[in-house]
Amino acid sequence: MIRLEDTSGGEVAAAIAAERHRQGSPTTGMVLTLLIMADEEHQEEATSAAVRAARQHPMRIITVIPRPSSSPAPARLDALVSVGGDDGPGELAILRLRGALAEHAGSVVIPLLLADTPIVAYWPAVPPKDPSNDPIGRHASRRITDTTMGLEPLADLQERSLTYRPGDSDLAWTRLTAWRTVLAGSLDAHPTPKVDEVVIEAGARLPTAQLLGAWLGLRLSVSVRIVDVESTHIEAVTLSTPDGPIDVRRRAANSSARDHVHDDGRWQNATLSRPGAPATGIMLPIRGLDELLAEELRHLAPDSEYGEVVRAVTNPGLVG
Amino acid sequence: MTNPLRSDADTRLPRVAGPCAIVLFGVTGDLARKKVMPAIYDLAARGLLPPGFALVGFARRDWEDQDFAETVREAVAEHSRTGFDQATWERLAEGIRFVAGDASDPEAYRRLGREIETLDAQRGTGGNHAFYLSIPPSVFPTVLTHLQESGLAQPPTPQAWRRVVIEKPFGHDLASAEELDQLVDDVFPPESVFRIDHYLGKETVQNILAVRFANTMFEPLWNANFVDNIQITMAEDIGIGGRAGYYDGIGAARDVMQNHLLQLLALTAMEEPLTFSAADVRAEKTKALAAVRLPADIDAHTSRGQYAPGWQGGLPVKGFLQEDGISPDSTTETYAAARFDVDTRRWAGVPFYLRTGKRLGRRVTEVAVVFKRAPHSPFPDRSVSELSSNALVFRIQPDEGITVRFGSKVPDTQAIEVRDVTMDFQYGESFADTSPEAYERLILDVLLGDPPLFPNREEVELSWSIIDPMLERWADNGRPEEYASGGWGPESAYSIVERDGRMWRRP
């Protein structure tokens, strides 16, 4: 890591280029620039997840940490820069913005954006009120928030719903991909995919549960009940069909020692029951932040499916 | 009826195979252990196999389910791409069964039928079964006949499906390929037959079409006006290893040129398909193959060789004739190269040089499009003496990617000097290490019933009719030429390009 104190955006860009030259590879195959806006509490986890995701998507990662102070302090930029090496093929700059500079992050990052490649903005915890009008978000073609990690997940989700613009996405939606894959797959196999009612058993304050409910309600044109079960997971989803229920249910974490081990790891065990077929065990992967980010970066076009679904989220928490 | 939970806009949702089972014939082969079993596990780990998926092994072994499961587990632990995870394995293992029996015993097929019915009831596989024939071609007729006679080739209901997967070699010449195709077609309808050419499952091979037809800057040059010649190479640095039984009598032309190299040629030479549907892509590939011609003077434009004992990369290595299981007077070639022409307006006069061999300088597969020299150079000759032809190279393995070679000024010379430089795009960097293995893609496509990446009967038979005259000529014409291990093939390989005033690229 190269440490630059009391520096500028241009000097940081020059330091990255100089480091590339020193390593003998001045040209690079970076596919995008990722801007991470975080406070000290969340920056480390988000940055290291992005560095891991850079193995799939070689990119320049710029972590912006505003450090506003209550007493007037001189504006100052400090930076840490790292290029290539054991951290993977990407480039990393961690920027700390002090004093009045904390309000002017846009001016710092502009010289650091790679030419002619997409810009992605990511807020790992506290999102801006309106990502597409945010000083940083405005530069980005993709804006990733994470309502699950905020202090007020449901209020945040409501804001995402009201301010949605094409190019927005939220990791709560990304976390749902495994559940949605299983549910869509269960209807593939069903000869008459007519669903009369949907019941989701989950912690009702989970943005994932709200988004899943909105998606199913929208696509199946049925009413969706979210039954609050005091959990930090989605516990079960039941689709009522004329032939009987299709039911996907997490197995209790303590049903066996082995299940329990895996429940905290990469997988959770679940059971799928369908009419006319024996109940079968299935695996729902629990993906780390790096894998979630990698999924986001795979499809950079606006996620219109998410757009429709998030706008269908109305008064979350009052449902069911 | 369409599934309301699926929409084209929802790009995150992968297609997952519907309820089904794979019945694997031949459970101990190299391919089954190194590719097929690990790919099935990796699909499971990626959540792309249906709940209740089952894998049935069928072989003449005194095995119980758990013995077969153990074989699969060992193969997965050693070769899987996604890494071994106990919980994923246990899910998959719940659906693993074994049926012991001889391929020629009708009773064995009745047992297999009962096992499949049990799976349909216990695991909900819905009568959908893919028979994966990972067996020597000599056993194909027996297995196919019994699959038909036992009724296993027939789906029990109109909604259910039965498919068959076969691996190369698809015959050893046109006549035997037609015979095999007829046999397969008698048992399974054409849309249920999946011929695996694993090269077509590779991301970079599919990328040839993406680069050609999604960009503006390449296709205008993609013709005889600008292209001088095309070189398609598949080189292996290893010898035949333990595959003497398979390789002797087959040789490089049948093993690689007839399928992989001619498929790469078709993708490089074909016109733009109307759409990317299987039918449209195949129509263009078929047209390209139908236009391929071997020169009349076969001796002058083809080359074959056998690797000699020697040194490779600093290690002593055996010659082909000294390999275990190879007869000392074998005439099987381990190197094959030939010039082909594509008789279309686009390619008139552009030679396509295809070469493949074992024990060559290094392991590499590539398609190189070599362009003509600039028609006029304003620079003095001495300035461009180090400039060769521009080239666009698709590297298929290893380091999947694209290289462009062009001339650029050498800095800090008094008189201008132009020299070859290369610009490189590497998947290893940009779409890195998570690229699925070709077999994962192809096996999933079989289970989804999605045929674009599989050559059909017509393509296979056209390919044989292209190289049959060469094989016949070779059979009547003595022995292959020896070539040094670790080099780039026999003398005659050089003469087939030099005769046309050209040079092989050093890959």
Side-chain angles (χ1 to χ4, degrees):
Chain A
M1 280 260 180
I2 298 164
R3 180 180 296 273
L4 299 169
E5 291 186 355
D6 202 0
T7 183
S8 70
E11 282 179 17
V12 175
I16 295 176
E19 185 60 14
R20 274 280 172 213
H21 279 278
R22 199 187 62 75
Q23 295 180 359
S25 50
T27 54
T28 63
M30 301 286 128
V31 297
L32 58 96
T33 306
L34 178 69
L35 300 169
I36 303 176
M37 264 61 59
D39 54 18
E40 290 290 356
E41 185 189 345
H42 296 97
Q43 59 92 3
E44 202 173 320
E45 190 190 358
T47 304
S48 62
V51 166
R52 286 195 299 279
R55 291 185 182 281
Q56 283 185 53
H57 307 277
M59 58 185 160
R60 176 173 288 184
I61 302 161
I62 302 168
T63 303
V64 179
I65 310 163
R67 299 279 299 260
S69 47
S70 45
S71 57
R76 173 182 159 125
L77 172 67
D78 295 325
L80 290 168
V81 170
S82 138
V83 174
D86 295 341
D87 290 339
E91 301 168 335
L92 172 63
I94 299 174
L95 310 177
R96 287 189 167 79
L97 280 54
R98 296 176 207 273
L101 188 57
E103 302 294 318
H104 301 282
S107 76
V108 175
V109 301
I110 283 175
L112 289 168
L113 303 175
L114 293 169
D116 240 11
T117 45
I119 298 164
V120 179
Y122 165 43
W123 291 268
V126 181
K129 289 266 181 234
D130 181 356
S132 60
N133 278 315
D134 175 81
I136 292 283
R138 207 183 296 144
H139 295 292
S141 57
R142 187 61 174 257
R143 297 165 296 274
I144 305 166
T145 50
D146 192 353
T147 47
T148 314
M149 300 297 287
L151 295 173
E152 304 234 24
L154 292 190
D156 285 350
L157 185 63
Q158 188 67 41
E159 253 173 22
R160 295 290 72 77
S161 177
L162 295 172
T163 62
Y164 173 81
R165 294 283 177 284
D168 289 0
S169 66
D170 193 277
L171 292 185
W173 176 245
T174 319
R175 287 188 182 88
L176 276 178
T177 303
W179 273 95
R180 297 199 303 124
T181 302
V182 169
L183 292 168
S186 73
L187 287 195
D188 280 340
H190 208 257
T192 54
K194 181 178 181 319
V195 176
D196 302 317
E197 199 201 5
V198 174
V199 179
I200 298 172
E201 295 165 47
R205 303 192 60 75
L206 286 175
T208 45
Q210 299 295 334
L211 286 168
L212 183 62
W215 177 62
L216 291 169
L218 194 66
R219 291 287 166 247
L220 299 173
S221 310
V222 288
S223 68
V224 176
R225 272 195 308 136
I226 298 179
V227 180
D228 191 352
V229 290
E230 293 287 319
S231 166
T232 53
H233 295 274
I234 294 171
E235 293 292 333
V237 178
T238 310
L239 313 179
S240 307
T241 77
D243 302 329
I246 297 172
D247 183 88
V248 185
R249 190 164 293 273
R250 275 180 88 233
R251 291 191 192 169
N254 56 3
S255 63
S256 84
R258 185 178 293 130
D259 280 0
H260 184 71
V261 168
H262 277 278
D263 222 76
D264 296 328
R266 291 170 57 198
W267 301 94
Q268 45 185 343
N269 276 292
T271 306
L272 168 68
S273 320
R274 289 166 292 179
T280 42
I282 54 170
M283 307 290 289
L284 292 167
I286 298 178
R287 296 180 301 167
L289 200 52
D290 53 335
E291 290 168 89
L292 299 175
L293 276 177
E295 176 178 319
E296 285 302 307
L297 301 178
R298 205 167 294 138
H299 312 282
L300 284 180
D303 186 346
S304 60
E305 185 79 4
Y306 165 74
E308 275 190 63
V309 169
V310 77
R311 278 177 294 179
V313 173
T314 46
N315 295 321
L318 301 180
V319 186
Chain B
M1 193 164 175
T2 54
N3 182 343
L5 292 184
R6 292 203 182 274
S7 86
D8 290 341
D10 197 352
T11 49
R12 291 172 196 262
L13 283 195
R15 288 184 308 163
V16 178
C20 63
I22 290 178
V23 182
L24 185 61
F25 286 76
V27 297
T28 50
D30 240 22
L31 210 59
R33 284 187 307 109
K34 287 187 182 158
K35 295 292 182 187
V36 180
M37 293 169 185
I40 290 171
Y41 168 86
D42 288 330
L43 284 172
R46 290 163 66 203
L48 298 177
L49 292 182
F53 173 82
L55 172 65
V56 184
F58 180 91
R60 192 179 52 197
R61 275 169 192 269
D62 191 15
W63 273 2
E64 298 292 327
D65 291 347
Q66 57 267 32
D67 299 312
F68 176 53
E70 185 53 26
T71 303
V72 180
R73 199 190 64 79
E74 283 168 12
V76 167
E78 196 175 340
H79 300 289
S80 89
R81 182 176 65 87
T82 56
F84 187 83
D85 175 81
Q86 185 65 23
T88 312
W89 166 251
E90 283 171 21
R91 268 297 154 264
L92 182 64
E94 285 170 9
I96 291 185
R97 302 286 185 275
F98 187 76
V99 175
D102 190 288
S104 58
D105 173 16
E107 178 52 32
Y109 292 85
R110 278 193 281 277
R111 283 199 298 278
L112 179 60
R114 284 195 294 275
E115 187 63 54
I116 282 176
E117 277 171 30
T118 312
L119 282 173
D120 288 344
Q122 280 179 0
R123 307 269 307 163
T125 45
N128 305 316
H129 302 280
F131 301 102
Y132 198 120
L133 308 189
S134 188
I135 49 175
S138 55
V139 198
F140 277 10
T142 316
V143 170
L144 286 166
T145 310
H146 283 289
L147 284 177
Q148 183 175 37
E149 283 173 1
S150 61
L152 285 169
Q154 292 298 320
T157 62
Q159 294 83 31
W161 50 258
R162 296 288 154 97
R163 297 181 184 136
V164 67
V165 185
I166 52 181
E167 294 265 4
K168 67 166 193 185
F170 313 122
H172 54 86
D173 58 12
L174 179 58
S176 59
E178 281 174 342
E179 198 179 312
L180 173 66
D181 287 335
Q182 195 53 53
L183 185 73
V184 177
D185 279 3
D186 285 346
V187 181
F188 291 94
E191 67 275 11
S192 300
V193 182
F194 292 78
R195 296 172 179 83
I196 289 216
D197 183 331
H198 68 272
Y199 262 66
L200 299 187
K202 287 184 180 288
E203 298 271 345
T204 20
V205 171
Q206 298 163 46
N207 194 41
I208 292 176
L209 298 185
V211 167
R212 283 191 58 194
F213 300 125
N215 294 304
T216 354
M217 53 198 263
F218 304 116
E219 203 54 22
L221 306 180
W222 217 260
N223 55 56
N225 295 331
F226 297 96
V227 174
D228 182 76
N229 70 91
I230 290 179
Q231 305 186 4
I232 302 177
T233 304
M234 181 182 155
E236 288 175 278
D237 54 1
I238 52 170
I240 56 161
R243 294 172 71 225
Y246 165 79
Y247 202 81
D248 198 13
I250 299 277
R254 289 186 175 93
D255 187 38
V256 175
M257 190 183 278
Q258 181 270 339
N259 39 62
H260 306 322
L261 294 191
L262 284 175
Q263 283 288 330
L264 290 175
L265 182 154
L267 294 169
T268 310
M270 70 188 239
E271 299 296 319
E272 182 171 270
L274 280 175
T275 70
F276 264 74
S277 71
D280 288 342
V281 173
R282 277 174 171 172
E284 295 305 333
K285 276 165 65 187
T286 307
K287 272 164 59 188
L289 288 171
V292 176
R293 176 175 55 83
L294 190 67
D297 185 352
I298 290 174
D299 292 344
H301 295 284
T302 68
S303 159
R304 62 185 166 136
Q306 280 177 344
Y307 56 85
W311 292 79
Q312 185 190 37
L315 295 171
V317 289
K318 281 185 196 170
F320 178 66
L321 298 178
Q322 287 78 46
E323 297 275 10
D324 296 336
I326 297 292
S327 140
D329 56 2
S330 168
T331 57
T332 302
E333 81 283 356
T334 62
Y335 180 95
R339 170 190 170 140
F340 295 92
D341 284 86
V342 179
D343 285 341
T344 60
R345 171 175 284 236
R346 186 193 277 263
W347 296 116
V350 178
F352 284 68
Y353 299 110
L354 273 52
R355 58 176 166 169
T356 178
K358 294 192 178 287
R359 276 280 159 70
L360 297 181
R362 66 189 193 92
R363 172 175 168 262
V364 59
T365 303
E366 64 172 38
V367 177
V369 179
V370 182
F371 292 93
K372 293 187 166 157
R373 300 291 295 254
H376 168 76
S377 164
F379 304 105
D381 286 352
R382 65 175 183 283
S383 296
V384 292
S385 62
E386 291 304 303
L387 176 67
S388 59
S389 306
N390 297 163
L392 175 71
V393 182
F394 294 99
R395 284 194 314 276
I396 293 171
Q397 69 180 15
D399 302 330
E400 313 187 7
I402 295 176
T403 299
V404 181
R405 182 178 69 185
F406 56 96
S408 176
K409 185 186 169 302
V410 182
D412 204 16
T413 55
Q414 286 197 332
I416 189 165
E417 280 187 34
V418 182
R419 181 194 289 171
D420 284 340
V421 296
T422 58
M423 207 160 68
D424 216 74
F425 172 79
Q426 200 174 326
Y427 288 87
E429 206 172 90
S430 285
F431 296 101
D433 45 5
T434 51
S435 277
E437 259 282 319
Y439 270 87
E440 285 171 54
R441 171 67 195 263
L442 294 175
I443 290 172
L444 180 62
D445 281 0
V446 169
L447 301 180
L448 292 166
D450 203 16
L453 298 178
F454 300 87
N456 66 4
R457 174 176 179 168
E458 198 178 357
E459 289 168 64
V460 170
E461 293 180 3
L462 276 171
S463 302
W464 281 118
S465 62
I466 292 166
I467 72 160
D468 265 3
M470 178 174 86
L471 297 173
E472 283 162 20
R473 173 69 192 148
W474 286 357
D476 299 339
N477 201 21
R479 307 191 48 78
E481 196 180 336
E482 271 202 340
Y483 63 93
S485 288
W488 290 106
E491 285 301 316
S492 56
Y494 292 91
S495 64
I496 64 173
V497 289
E498 284 162 7
R499 154 187 319 274
D500 298 339
R502 297 187 169 94
M503 276 168 61
W504 285 114
R505 248 177 74 79
R506 183 167 47 76

